[in-house]
Amino acid sequence: MSHTEFKDWPAMAANLIPAIKELHKGAPGVMKAFREMGAAAHEGGALDAKTKELMALAIAVATRCDPCITYHVEGARKHGANRAEIAETMGMAVYMGAGPSAMYAAQALEAYDQYADKAAG
């Protein structure tokens, strides 16, 4: 396993703490509700904590959220995810990041065709 130094993920998480605290001060009601929503999403149920973190990580990658990636990689690791599980989850993230784009691209072409047909009368 090789390691790269493209980004310092643990430092990113640590460096975001002051900014997140400021956001909590500036929008306390919204951030309280966000915290409560996160707690509800992480509650026990049919899915275990590791699975939920892997799902969040896949979504973080598909939506291209660097801070989300660092938080959910560490969350998944803390809940027992190994490198192979992270890699397999990333395979799904890549697939879903590309698949939805293809579906929306088809819809964009359909929208164009409908507007063009309407304009042509």
Side-chain angles (χ1 to χ4, degrees):
M1 157 175 37
S2 65
H3 294 279
T4 62
E5 297 295 325
F6 181 65
K7 293 180 183 174
D8 185 342
W9 297 96
M12 180 188 302
N15 290 335
L16 280 167
I17 292 170
I20 292 170
K21 285 181 179 178
E22 286 300 313
L23 182 57
H24 279 270
K25 285 187 216 172
V30 170
M31 294 309 293
K32 180 179 183 277
F34 182 75
R35 243 185 352 269
E36 290 170 353
M37 183 175 54
H42 282 89
E43 284 178 359
L47 299 175
D48 64 18
K50 179 175 79 172
T51 300
K52 289 181 179 188
E53 286 293 345
L54 290 170
M55 289 172 62
L57 178 57
I59 293 165
V61 168
T63 60
R64 299 167 189 89
C65 176
D66 284 0
C68 302
I69 291 168
T70 191
Y71 288 123
H72 293 294
V73 161
E74 181 61 354
R77 190 194 64 75
K78 284 181 176 177
H79 287 288
N82 60 39
R83 194 173 194 280
E85 290 169 318
I86 297 290
E88 192 168 329
T89 299
M90 294 304 87
M92 288 303 296
V94 168
Y95 167 66
M96 290 308 297
S101 296
M103 299 303 118
Y104 274 93
Q107 292 177 67
L109 287 174
E110 178 183 64
Y112 174 86
D113 291 342
Q114 290 175 8
Y115 279 106
D117 289 348
K118 187 175 180 180

